[in-house]
Amino acid sequence: MTSATLTATPTTRIAGVRPAVLLAAAGALVLAVLLSLSVGSNPVPVGQAWSLLLHPDGTQAAVVLRELRLPRTVVGLVVGAALGLGGALMQSLTRNPLADPGILGVNAGAGLAVVLAVAVFGALGVGSYVWFAFVGAAAAAVGVYALGGTGRQAATPVRLALAGVALSAALGGLTQTVILADQQAFNEFRFWVGGSLEGRGWAVLAATGPFIALGAIVALALAPALNALALGEETGRALGVRVTRTRTLAMVAVTLLCGAATAAVGPISFVGLAVPFLARALVGSDQRWVFAVCLLLGPTWLLLADVVARVVVAPHEVQCGIVAALAGAPFFVALVRRRKVAAL
């Protein structure tokens, strides 16, 4: 067996299992959706839940399903897909497999906007400050790109990461200042910062869904260019990729995806970090397949975390962002210990 054959074997093996991985991820997502509709303080059998959704009979179970669990599940689907795809795009943009969407200052910008909305404008409730959160997230991402691109050098992945860390620290300090001075802002921020699908309905989805859809379209369109850039900037340019344009559009897509998702449900940890890492382990580094798997595994992770959050201290609920972080941390540590983490 030649060295060329030995080199090609792992790639061929991964390519062969990609359809099976995609099918398995789709099956896991269907299971997560069914559990999200069925499990709660008032459990409903899966068959009955499906029947009540199609033919509501006016019972309490039907009202709970259609008015509470269905919109909550749909929001979880959209936001989870946005976080998974945004994380994969962020890691590809910075060429760092451990990068998180929060590295662009999205979470910090949204958090500061929320507390300012409460303290200055008196906004109360998710529906009142979702737009403030999105604008804050977008402004922070733009600020990171502006800082990372100052001077003679372009906005390289390293400069973007450093700018994101610096701006996040500054915005976090401002947020702490506001919440220490305003009790109402502290109360709202405490509820929002844990990350939750509870109470998120069609209005929140209508406000953030279009931005997530636009960001997803841009991200998916960039997949071939990002594959070329993974070979190096010079190789990418030789293949016809416009490096600056691609990075700018990737920043726009990350801002739309993660900014809107964070505005909708608050900051959710580890979905945008571990899901792309797992996707690459399963299907390789081809961004087209990574993005596809992340669109399925992201909402699966978030919905399962939300299901656990409903029952772990039943009949009360904990915030699903806490469950996602608790589940994601040991899982991610195990992945890092088993695999060599190399730059993308």
Side-chain angles (χ1 to χ4, degrees):
M1 183 178 292
T2 66
S3 59
T5 304
L6 289 171
T7 303
T9 299
T11 303
T12 304
R13 187 183 302 115
I14 290 177
V17 302
R18 283 170 177 169
V21 169
L22 202 62
L23 185 61
L29 179 57
V30 171
L31 176 62
V33 169
L34 293 176
L35 290 174
S36 180
L37 292 173
S38 303
V39 176
S41 56
N42 294 312
V44 180
V46 173
Q48 183 183 357
W50 187 252
S51 177
L52 290 176
L53 285 176
L54 296 178
H55 308 287
D57 57 7
T59 61
Q60 181 182 2
V63 173
V64 168
L65 280 172
R66 294 178 65 86
E67 301 298 328
L68 298 178
R69 290 187 188 169
L70 179 61
R72 181 173 181 164
T73 300
V74 175
V75 171
L77 282 170
V78 174
V79 169
L83 291 174
L85 182 58
L89 186 59
M90 182 66 209
Q91 292 176 11
S92 178
L93 176 65
T94 62
R95 301 183 67 179
N96 178 2
L98 304 182
D100 182 85
I103 202 173
L104 286 183
V106 169
N107 293 348
L112 178 60
V114 167
V115 298
L116 289 177
V118 177
V120 178
F121 299 101
L124 298 176
V126 177
S128 300
Y129 50 69
V130 62
W131 283 104
F132 290 94
F134 178 72
V135 171
V142 171
V144 167
Y145 193 77
L147 289 174
T150 54
R152 296 180 180 180
Q153 296 184 3
T156 62
V158 174
R159 288 167 65 89
L160 287 176
L162 292 175
V165 171
L167 188 61
S168 294
L171 294 178
L174 291 175
T175 300
Q176 292 298 320
T177 301
V178 175
I179 64 176
L180 288 175
D182 191 296
Q183 182 63 41
Q184 187 64 56
F186 172 76
N187 292 336
E188 289 290 329
F189 181 75
R190 182 179 59 180
F191 170 75
W192 176 83
V193 76
S196 177
L197 294 177
E198 184 180 4
R200 271 61 170 186
W202 302 121
V204 171
L205 186 62
T208 58
F211 297 101
I212 292 175
L214 179 59
I217 292 172
V218 174
L220 294 174
L222 290 175
L226 292 172
N227 280 337
L229 282 181
L231 302 175
E233 288 189 14
E234 296 301 324
T235 302
R237 287 192 177 94
L239 293 173
V241 176
R242 299 179 181 179
V243 177
T244 302
R245 175 177 175 271
T246 299
R247 284 180 176 162
T248 301
L249 289 176
M251 279 287 300
V252 170
V254 170
T255 301
L256 291 171
L257 290 166
C258 300
T262 302
V265 302
I268 303 289
S269 301
F270 281 103
V271 176
L273 181 65
V275 166
F277 193 92
L278 177 59
R280 284 193 303 274
L282 293 173
V283 298
S285 58
D286 188 331
Q287 293 301 320
R288 295 170 297 181
W289 284 94
V290 171
F291 285 176
V293 173
C294 286
L295 284 172
L296 298 172
L297 291 185
T300 300
W301 189 299
L302 184 57
L303 288 177
L304 291 179
D306 186 50
V307 169
V308 174
R310 301 179 200 176
V311 300
V312 66
V313 290
H316 304 289
E317 292 190 16
V318 298
Q319 293 170 305
C320 67
I322 298 174
V323 177
L326 290 175
F331 175 80
F332 187 66
V333 168
L335 283 177
V336 172
R337 289 177 61 86
R338 289 182 60 186
R339 293 174 55 89
K340 180 181 178 181
V341 180
L344 295 177

